[in-house]
Amino acid sequence: MSGRFLDSPIKYLKGVGPAREKILKQELGLNNFEDVLYYFPFRYIDRSKFYKISEIRENMPYVQLKGKISEMQTIGQGHNARLTAIFTDDTGILELIWFRGIKWVKESINAGKEYIVFGKPALFNRKFNIPHPEVEELSVVKASLVQVQLQPFYNVTEKLRKANVDSKGIAKILKGLMELIPNNITENLSNELLDKYKLVSREDALRFIHFPSNVKHIQVAQKRLKFEELFFIQLHLIKSKLIRAHKNKGVAFSKVGDSFNVFYKEHLPFELTGAQKKVLREIRQDTGSGKQMNRLLQGDVGSGKTLVALMCMLLANDNGFQSCIMAPTEILANQHFEGISEFLGEMNIKIGLLTGSTKKKDRKVLHESLLNGELKILIGTHALIEDTVQFNNLGLVVIDEQHRFGVAQRAKLWQKSLIPPHVLVMTATPIPRTLAMTLYGDLDYSVIDELPPGRKSIKTYHYYDKDRYKVFGFIKKQIDLGRQVYIVYPLIEESETMDLKDLTDGFESIKRTFPNPQYQVSIVHGRMKAADKDFEMQRFAKGETQIMVATTVIEVGVNVPNSTVMIIENAERFGLSQLHQLRGRVGRGGDQSYCILMTSYKMTAEGKTRMKTMVETTDGFKIADVDLKLRGPGDMQGTQQSGVLDLKIADLIKDEAILKAARKEAIAILEDSEVYNAPGNAPIIRELGRREHKSTNWSDIS
Ligand code: ADP
Ligand code: MG
């Protein structure tokens, strides 16, 4: 019954005729009673407090005043018409102004009577006015039995407002709905959870969130509804993970053999960090279980992810399986190949490199040795997923810098083996834990949160354009010491000709300041042909050029340990995570490295915070936290298709504690069939089923 209640179309609500039904659907996506009940106010205003006109200051929120309205007059005509009135109390005078609904307002106000006026004061010509105030006759309000104290405010669109549905209109519709809800809202949490977390019932929460009698009501309602929201998202994520684990049998890496051990004991030139060891243990447990691993490995630039990946590939090899590692660019693939060759040294393990520029003849040889199983580790780019690439027995796929690859591409790699290989996705973009829990809640998740010892922390400075000559002087000194320098320009839209001009102007000026033949300057940008780009990158990597002028194409993974200076031009135009990625291009060798952020004086407050954060910390997770706070989850990488954006009430920044509790409880219920089937949990399971049935857009992210 109650399921049907929530599913009832909104046309059955008081005050919702066909026209409103259409516009509420269109503008706010409100189709049924449930949608309306879960359309929460974004704030409340205390209507019990009255201000005096003399107390009004600039930038005040909504205020409520008591006084007389007089001298109403219409000024102008047609589109430009406005209605003004004088409002007075015993402390002063201000003007009320209406630009819309003039006729109606004029008719409904009795000049000379006492009114309650409610609105947001604005300053114009050094005098305060209130545009579009709500007005109510004092005697009428006094006579009415219900006097709202905390008035809910709902977001509405311009179109809705034009159709006369403003925040108050939404509140009215909800008021009508409230009369229908007693006995119609079934609880969807267990009594156990309600008790444990001291949550109010679903019905109370829905009443209190819309029509609270006091502030406490708002708090308890929010707590309950946030928990509910996060809990069902986590249930969904964890359930998909369990289903996948159940469905996808995996190859079992049951033993640790010679190649792993010999490498570890004889070839590893340094001690693994604690974090690397921890992650390796997690991966070994996963891959040994007989279930397919789907793990996200997060670790800041330089934290040693590649090494962890290599050791996993050795583990695969010990168990008779091939593995591959896929990088987003040819340069990175080359670097991995060289790095891994060096690590493995004399060990007798055959590895191969496959990229777009691998020659046809070499390709053929590679294909053959892959198919007959001779080749153990394949390193490459997108070229790996071509159909012609066939493995003998692929057991592990490593994907580096995950966000460059689409889901479909990943799926293609899976299909290269009868039993799907284990998948390890590596990313250097730190994301806050709360976001990871929601975004990647259905993946296993490991973090390397520790850098190898002895790293020199990169020094970061913020300079203004006028200090450019100082900066040039600094570059010269570093080059004299034999070091190399990046100078990066923003080019967010590769098509923006303005940006390209900035870049080429910058390049010309750098060449003038650092002339041939003493200095060699490279340039790389997205409009260049891949081969030309590669050629310049290689020149820089080999040390043939000292300065690399570039756009963000160098952002991902490039490793030139001899470069010690990263100059970022127009740094205020970059987001925090991008700045952090760029900075990660230096500090890769033993020498002290520097990051210099160049900006103009004109910066937004947010821009200033970004510069300050970069100067103060090199901790990627801290930076990600600030980023989340500045931008909200909407703009964070990867959130677009994740459903995180649809959160109605929970806040990933503020509600970490609730999120953790919700996830813990979701795991407890799903991982034990006895708990799952316990009668007390029936409301939860029923709701989960209902939601899964309803929603088709809970996208899988792995
Ligand atoms: P990431 O891929 O996480 O950015 P890499 O795997 O490329 O980092 O490692 C960065 C550098 O640190 C490499 O030169 C690597 O050999 C080195 N490295 C990795 N692990 C350690 C460790 N435990 N101790 C010292 N150096 C390490
Ligand atoms: Mg890397």
Side-chain angles (χ1 to χ4, degrees), residues 270-273 276 300-307 343 452 455:
F270 37 67
E271 180 71 9
L272 291 177
T273 63
Q276 284 172 319
D300 221 335
V301 271
S303 60
K305 295 183 294 297
T306 314
L307 182 64
F343 265 133
R455 285 284 161 82

Side-chain angles (χ1 to χ4, degrees), residues 286-445:
D286 263 17
T287 52
S289 71
K291 305 224 167 99
Q292 186 214 13
M293 172 177 79
N294 255 294
R295 187 171 282 276
L296 177 76
L297 173 58
Q298 224 198 347
D300 221 335
V301 271
S303 60
K305 295 183 294 297
T306 314
L307 182 64
V308 168
L310 172 61
M311 293 184 72
C312 296
M313 295 195 281
L314 294 176
L315 193 64
N317 186 49
D318 280 341
N319 287 275
F321 290 98
Q322 294 168 302
S323 48
C324 66
I325 177 165
M326 184 157 82
T329 65
E330 205 153 300
I331 299 168
L332 278 175
N334 283 325
Q335 278 181 6
H336 278 321
F337 182 74
E338 279 157 25
I340 288 173
S341 307
E342 204 180 301
F343 265 133
L344 293 181
E346 304 291 285
M347 281 177 73
N348 191 18
I349 296 172
K350 196 163 178 235
I351 69 175
L353 174 69
L354 179 65
T355 68
S357 42
T358 305
K359 300 233 167 52
K360 212 169 166 188
K361 192 177 77 211
D362 300 334
R363 218 172 256 255
K364 207 164 151 250
V365 178
L366 267 180
H367 285 171
E368 268 165 30
S369 59
L370 258 188
L371 203 52
N372 68 26
E374 250 173 62
L375 190 76
K376 304 301 182 196
I377 294 176
L378 181 61
I379 297 152
T381 55
H382 289 77
L384 292 192
I385 54 180
E386 282 165 21
D387 292 332
T388 45
V389 180
Q390 288 186 349
F391 291 82
N392 181 296
N393 56 354
L394 180 63
L396 170 69
V397 171
V398 180
I399 300 174
D400 196 8
E401 308 295 354
Q402 152 259 354
H403 53 274
R404 297 279 172 117
F405 291 105
V407 177
Q409 291 171 317
R410 252 176 269 162
K412 253 190 139 166
L413 268 173
W414 277 39
Q415 287 150 14
K416 289 194 180 287
S417 175
L418 193 59
I419 299 179
H422 299 298
V423 178
L424 182 68
V425 175
M426 306 198 293
T427 173
T429 311
I431 50 175
R433 273 163 206 262
T434 52
L435 199 57
M437 252 191 255
T438 323
L439 269 182
Y440 303 115
D442 65 334
L443 297 186
D444 293 300
Y445 175 62

Side-chain angles (χ1 to χ4, degrees), residues 56-193:
I56 292 178
R57 300 282 175 274
E58 224 179 325
N59 297 324
M60 262 187 169
Y62 284 77
V63 296
Q64 183 168 242
L65 306 158
K66 219 182 314 190
K68 282 195 178 123
I69 296 182
S70 60
E71 291 179 45
M72 298 177 67
Q73 53 176 313
T74 313
I75 301 167
Q77 275 185 344
H79 271 316
N80 296 318
R82 62 178 196 271
L83 174 69
T84 64
I86 296 297
F87 179 73
T88 50
D89 67 7
D90 47 14
T91 70
I93 291 184
L94 57 73
E95 198 176 47
L96 308 178
I97 307 179
W98 290 266
F99 300 95
R100 297 183 302 265
I102 291 177
K103 189 160 166 276
W104 184 81
V105 175
K106 207 170 174 179
E107 281 167 8
S108 59
I109 291 177
N110 290 316
K113 289 214 164 153
E114 272 212 290
Y115 277 88
I116 294 176
V117 163
F118 178 76
K120 195 170 160 45
L123 193 60
F124 184 73
N125 276 346
R126 285 199 256 141
K127 275 191 247 163
F128 284 106
N129 65 44
I130 300 186
H132 280 273
E134 270 180 41
V135 296
E136 286 170 307
E137 213 181 304
L138 187 63
S139 57
V140 176
V141 176
K142 276 191 175 151
S144 85
L145 289 175
V146 270
Q147 291 186 23
V148 265
Q149 274 206 347
L150 291 162
Q151 186 182 345
F153 273 73
Y154 299 91
N155 273 318
V156 288
T157 63
E158 200 49 45
K159 268 198 184 145
L160 275 161
R161 222 173 265 132
K162 282 205 179 116
N164 269 324
V165 188
D166 55 5
S167 168
K168 238 181 164 175
I170 304 269
K172 243 190 206 147
I173 293 169
L174 270 154
K175 199 101 211 177
L177 182 48
M178 284 299 141
E179 285 164 22
L180 306 176
I181 71 170
N183 302 319
N184 270 322
I185 305 291
T186 345
E187 184 50 66
N188 57 13
L189 296 177
S190 62
N191 288 331
E192 198 187 322
L193 286 178

Side-chain angles (χ1 to χ4, degrees), residues 197-210:
Y197 293 100
K198 302 201 169 42
L199 304 173
V200 296
S201 73
R202 190 183 186 194
E203 182 178 325
D204 280 350
L206 290 172
R207 277 194 299 118
F208 293 167
I209 199 80
H210 294 290

Side-chain angles (χ1 to χ4, degrees), residues 164 191 207 233 351 371 462 493 499 508 542 574 592:
N164 269 324
N191 288 331
R207 277 194 299 118
I233 291 175
I351 69 175
L371 203 52
H462 173 201
E493 289 291 323
D499 282 343
E508 291 308 321
K542 284 183 209 145
F574 291 90
Q592 177 62 53

